[in-house]
Amino acid sequence: MPSPELEIRLRRLPHGEGLPLPAYATAHAAGMDVVAAETVTLAPGARHAVGTGFAIAIPEGYEVQVRPRSGLALKHGITCLNAPGTIDADYRGEVKVILANLGEEAFEVVRGERIAQLVPAPVVRARFAEADALDETERGGGGFGSTGR
């Protein structure tokens, strides 16, 4: 059963001229590849908010998540910080991807190179309700790594 399509309006910025729009690489890809609109060298340990050359209008009730590309992560140690990043429905500025170089060598991000994936997702709004006690569970207050014992 095919997933419904969500239309997201996109405004190309002057420095994004000539670049491909975000697109799915295969028929069953969850994320749309997005490319860099600038060339920048990331030294080991460095990070940079790489421009994409476009702004978007996400429909209310949705977000767009920014996720790393597995090939860049494995081959070069390049990842997205704050992953998955969230682009909120009311944001209208340029979409930027915060890339970090966790590798041991400098890495050149080249204009037009695929740098991340965008994944649209529905948003569930929540509210917190204070309580004097919480229901008991098997895990209880066990934290980081506690379920692996």
Side-chain angles (χ1 to χ4, degrees), residues 7-108:
E7 182 177 277
I8 299 174
R9 292 188 359 220
L10 180 146
R11 181 172 62 91
R12 191 183 299 269
L13 303 173
H15 61 287
E17 287 299 325
L19 294 174
L21 298 180
Y24 296 103
T26 66
H28 299 287
M32 293 176 271
D33 289 334
V34 63
V35 304
E38 60 182 301
T39 296
V40 62
T41 300
L42 291 174
R47 61 191 175 274
H48 182 78
V50 180
T52 62
F54 64 85
I56 55 179
I58 303 165
E60 185 177 332
Y62 291 89
E63 65 167 327
V64 171
Q65 298 175 0
V66 181
R67 300 183 185 181
R69 293 195 64 243
S70 59
L72 285 179
L74 177 63
K75 295 174 188 170
H76 305 286
I78 303 300
T79 191
C80 297
L81 292 182
N82 194 38
T86 292
I87 305 169
D88 294 309
D90 58 352
Y91 177 67
R92 294 296 183 268
E94 180 179 11
V95 171
K96 292 190 175 189
V97 176
I98 305 170
L99 289 183
N101 184 353
L102 304 179
E104 298 175 3
E105 297 178 12
F107 181 81
E108 185 176 33

